[in-house]
Amino acid sequence: MIDIKDKGYRPTLEEIGEYIANPVFTQFCSDMKTQYDCVGKTEYSSCSWMPGWNVKFKKAGKNLCTVYPQEGFFTILIVAGEKERTAVEAVLPSCAPETREVYEQTEAGNGQKWLMFDVEDAEEMYRDIFRLIGIRRRAK
C-alpha cells in the first residue's frame, strides 16, 4: 500500500485507486476521460487541508476538479468562481439535498466557493458533480 503523503514517491492512478479501494474512483476517472477527454495527473500538495498526493483533472489549462484520496472514498474539489456561480445556483434546485447542503455551507472567499464533495457511491451527488464540472467546462 502506498503512503499518500510520501513526497518522494509519485503514485500512479492505479496505485491511488488501490489506496482508495472504491470502484467509484475508477468509474470517475473513466467518466472524466469519456466526457472531457482528460486524464487525471497526480500532483503533490502541501496545503494544510490535506497534504499529500492528489489527482487533478485539467482541460485546456483549466482545472476542472481535484480528487483527494481517502481510504474507502475520495473527496472532489470543484471551485465555483464568480463566472460560474450564477449557473451553479441555477441548477442547485434540481440537485440532491447533499449537493445543495455543501454549496450552502461553503463560505465564499475572493468571489469563489471551494466545494468539497465526499464521494462513496455513484448516486445522485455523483451526477450533480458532473453537472457542476460541466459548468466549468462543457462536455464533449
Side-chain angles (χ1 to χ4, degrees), residues 61-128:
K62 185 173 189 174
N63 190 33
L64 302 180
C65 66
T66 303
V67 173
Y68 295 91
Q70 312 282 331
E71 292 185 59
F73 70 100
F74 53 101
T75 300
I76 296 177
L77 164 66
I78 301 171
V79 178
E82 286 184 50
K83 293 178 183 177
E84 295 95 2
R85 285 191 50 198
T86 301
V88 169
E89 290 171 2
V91 301
L92 278 177
S94 62
C95 289
E98 298 86 1
T99 305
R100 292 192 306 267
E101 184 178 331
V102 167
Y103 187 84
E104 291 162 5
Q105 291 183 358
T106 302
E107 291 191 32
N110 295 330
Q112 300 178 331
K113 283 196 174 209
W114 288 39
L115 307 172
M116 307 291 286
F117 299 96
D118 291 337
V119 179
E120 296 179 48
D121 56 45
E123 298 298 325
E124 281 183 280
M125 191 172 63
Y126 183 87
R127 289 185 294 274
D128 293 342

